[in-house]
Amino acid sequence: MKTIEELLLDPYWVVDALPEQVKADSDGQYFAVERYYLEPARFAGLKRKHIDVVLKLNCYMRLFLDEEDRPNPPPAEIAERMRRDHLCIRIGGALIVSEPDDACMTVYNADETLLSLLRPLAAAEGLFVWQP
């Protein structure tokens, strides 16, 4: 099995509130909108969506937090650590990186089984899965 450092070099997908990457020359105001959503009251709702996606994935697949060998920690522990810590969530050969202050999650080395679950779970939370 690959180490976390090796997985971070693999192709990745993004779980995000936007359906695709915003181009650098966009006429929109990406950074102003991002700051708006990162305000604490709004960000708490976005982080809840990330947590819900991971918890629902855990209904189907075993997961591990960081380098721990203990599978499937209690849901409340997963949620709290996602709110508080930089967290590497291992599912099979894939890695989901969750930052406590980031508006998206990054998924490395996802196979089609994981993606086929991740896409509808993210969509149910109003999120999108895309590859840069």
Side-chain angles (χ1 to χ4, degrees):
M1 181 174 282
K2 290 183 177 183
T3 66
I4 288 175
E5 291 77 18
E6 291 170 327
L7 287 168
L8 293 173
L9 300 174
D10 282 346
Y12 63 93
W13 287 258
V14 177
V15 179
D16 195 6
L18 298 174
E20 62 185 40
Q21 188 169 9
V22 176
K23 294 181 180 15
D25 62 352
S26 169
D27 288 336
Q29 49 179 341
Y30 170 76
F31 293 108
V33 171
E34 182 183 47
R35 280 190 304 276
Y36 174 83
Y37 281 109
L38 290 176
E39 291 174 6
R42 287 179 200 85
F43 185 70
L46 184 57
K47 184 51 72 175
R48 181 199 47 79
K49 292 178 180 190
H50 293 176
I51 291 166
D52 286 349
V53 167
V54 169
L55 292 179
K56 290 174 185 177
L57 273 174
N58 192 207
C59 292
Y60 298 94
M61 307 174 97
R62 181 172 48 184
L63 66 78
F64 298 84
L65 302 182
D66 289 328
E67 297 286 352
E68 297 174 7
D69 288 331
R70 176 178 55 121
N72 301 327
E77 179 182 339
I78 296 168
E80 178 56 31
R81 290 188 59 191
M82 286 181 71
R83 284 186 199 95
R84 185 188 68 216
D85 301 331
H86 165 88
L87 195 58
C88 293
I89 302 162
R90 296 179 292 130
I91 298 179
L95 179 72
I96 299 174
V97 176
S98 171
E99 299 281 353
D101 57 355
D102 203 345
C104 66
M105 293 189 300
T106 309
V107 183
Y108 296 88
N109 198 44
D111 62 16
E112 196 49 49
T113 300
L114 175 58
L115 290 171
S116 69
L117 286 169
L118 183 60
R119 287 182 182 115
L121 292 174
E125 296 296 332
L127 301 172
F128 302 90
V129 178
W130 50 268
Q131 203 169 18

